[in-house]
Amino acid sequence: MQIVARVVFGLVNWAARNGLAENAGADPGGETAKHAAKDAARRTGVRGETFAYWYLRRHGYTIISRNYMAPGVKGELDLVGYDGEVLAFVEVKTRAYSSEKPGTRVLPEDAVTPEKQRKLVRMARQFLNEWRIKEAACRFDVLAIESYPGKSPRVRLHKDCFGASAGEIRKANF
C-alpha cells in the first residue's frame, strides 16, 4: 500500500506544482465577486485536504476518517488516522497567497487558536465515543500548507501540537 500512496502523492504533488489555488477571473467588488472568492477559497481548502491526505499516506499514516462531523456538535475533524500505534486527529490549514511578500502573510497554523483547539477536542471526544475506541494513544497534529502561484506547496506537519490520551479527551470539560 505504501507504493500506491507514493505514486498517488507523486501525481497529486505534480498537479499542485503551480499552486493549489486557481486563478480567479471575477471582477473585483460586487456580490458575484464575493461568492466567487468564497467558492475559490472553499475549492482551495478541498484541494489542500486532498493534498494533505496523500501527503500523510505517503508518510505512513493510515487514514480512517475524512471530514468527520457529529450531529449536534459544531465543527469537523479534517483527517483522522493512525501514525503507527497513535491515533492522530489532523487539522489541515491551507493558505493560498497571491505573492511571496513576507510581511503580508499569516501562517496557516496560527489559525488553530485555543477556541479551535477546544472544538477539536470536543469533536475528538465524539469520534472516540462513536467509533467505540476505549483506549488509544491520541494526539492532535496540524498540517499547514502554503500555496504560492507558480510554485509547489510548502508543507509543515506539526505533530502533537496540543495533546491528550483517549482517557483525557473523555474527561476534559471543554
Side-chain angles (χ1 to χ4, degrees):
M1 246 346 181
Q2 189 71 8
I3 293 171
V4 172
R6 284 182 180 274
V7 169
V8 174
F9 178 72
L11 293 171
V12 169
N13 197 30
W14 182 80
R17 71 193 178 283
N18 290 322
L20 294 171
E22 59 190 42
N23 295 331
D27 294 330
E31 199 64 30
T32 305
K34 289 179 187 177
H35 289 296
K38 191 173 184 177
D39 285 345
R42 184 184 52 75
R43 284 191 297 273
T44 299
V46 169
R47 288 180 181 140
E49 285 183 13
T50 301
F51 187 89
Y53 172 84
W54 288 106
Y55 177 88
L56 293 172
R57 290 278 312 270
R58 182 176 183 272
H59 285 86
Y61 282 65
T62 302
I63 304 299
I64 60 172
S65 180
R66 288 178 73 171
N67 301 319
Y68 171 80
M69 297 174 73
V73 180
K74 185 178 179 181
E76 170 186 83
L77 294 173
D78 294 331
L79 297 168
V80 181
Y82 283 96
D83 181 18
E85 297 292 318
V86 179
L87 183 62
F89 299 97
V90 183
E91 178 67 13
V92 179
K93 290 296 180 187
T94 306
R95 294 292 180 265
Y97 303 108
S98 57
S99 65
E100 195 167 350
K101 295 178 185 172
T104 61
R105 69 182 186 135
V106 177
L107 296 176
E109 48 270 59
D110 291 343
V112 185
T113 62
E115 177 62 26
K116 179 68 173 177
Q117 292 175 15
R118 283 191 288 280
K119 289 179 182 177
L120 291 171
V121 170
R122 273 192 218 120
M123 289 301 298
R125 183 184 309 134
Q126 224 23 59
F127 181 87
L128 292 170
N129 287 333
E130 187 175 311
W131 283 60
R132 294 184 177 97
I133 299 173
K134 302 248 187 254
E135 286 299 320
C138 299
R139 71 170 190 241
F140 292 90
D141 297 350
V142 174
L143 190 108
I145 303 172
E146 292 182 309
S147 178
Y148 294 95
K151 296 184 178 181
S152 292
R154 295 179 187 167
V155 181
R156 290 182 301 279
L157 176 60
H158 304 282
K159 293 184 177 185
D160 203 14
C161 289
F162 53 101
S165 68
E168 291 169 336
I169 291 171
R170 284 197 177 84
K171 293 175 192 170
N173 292 320
F174 289 102

